[in-house]
Amino acid sequence: VIPAKYDAASGFYEGLAAVKINGKEGFINKNGKFVIPAKYDNTWNFSEGLAAVKINGKWGFIDKNENIVIPAKYDNAWPFSEGLAAVKINGKYGFIDKNGNLVIPAKYDDAWSFRNGKARVKLKNIVFYIDKNGKEVR
């Protein structure tokens, strides 16, 4: 259905697939037409209406109309899950909401996405779970 002309391609998430061509990434629809041009250094798939994109070495988030919703100022970013996204700031991970507010401080050495109200985090070689308030849970 879609010609094999891309260097890399993801599956479809929220109706769009991330594709890489000529060293840049963008998003196509199920007809193979670019909805968001391939101009980003890297991308994550759309999740909860937003996609993480890397621009000039920093990560931010765009919506499906290519509006920059959260400016590209993070060293790394994960897709949104349960309303929060893990982001890396000055070597540490924390979590932002969809307005770009840091709701869980960036103090972790690593972090994964929220699932069932909990996110796995790593601090000083200890892996544990936190809730959406940043409190340790079991």
Side-chain angles (χ1 to χ4, degrees):
V1 175
I2 298 172
K5 62 181 179 180
Y6 304 106
D7 301 325
S10 74
F12 283 90
Y13 293 84
E14 298 186 6
L16 300 176
V19 295
K20 184 174 188 173
I21 191 163
N22 298 324
K24 294 291 182 178
E25 296 185 20
F27 295 88
I28 60 170
N29 63 20
K30 290 186 178 181
N31 295 321
K33 294 184 181 177
F34 273 99
V35 174
I36 297 172
K39 66 179 188 179
Y40 299 100
D41 301 330
N42 205 339
T43 60
W44 279 107
N45 292 309
F46 274 90
S47 177
E48 299 185 10
L50 300 177
V53 294
K54 190 175 185 182
I55 308 165
N56 297 323
K58 293 289 184 178
W59 288 87
F61 292 83
I62 61 170
D63 64 17
K64 290 183 182 179
N65 294 317
E66 203 183 354
N67 296 311
I68 296 173
V69 177
I70 300 170
K73 61 182 180 179
Y74 304 104
D75 300 325
N76 199 357
W78 292 104
F80 274 91
S81 177
E82 298 184 14
L84 299 176
V87 293
K88 190 175 189 181
I89 306 166
N90 297 323
K92 297 290 184 178
Y93 282 91
F95 291 85
I96 60 170
D97 64 17
K98 289 186 181 179
N99 294 316
N101 299 312
L102 190 65
V103 296
I104 297 175
K107 64 181 183 179
Y108 303 102
D109 299 322
D110 208 347
W112 292 263
S113 297
F114 272 89
R115 300 280 183 259
N116 300 314
K118 299 176 188 174
R120 188 168 51 145
V121 294
K122 183 177 182 182
L123 183 62
K124 297 180 183 174
N125 290 323
I126 299 171
V127 176
F128 56 97
Y129 289 87
I130 59 170
D131 66 16
K132 290 186 179 183
N133 296 313
K135 294 186 180 183
E136 186 175 344
V137 293
R138 296 186 185 262

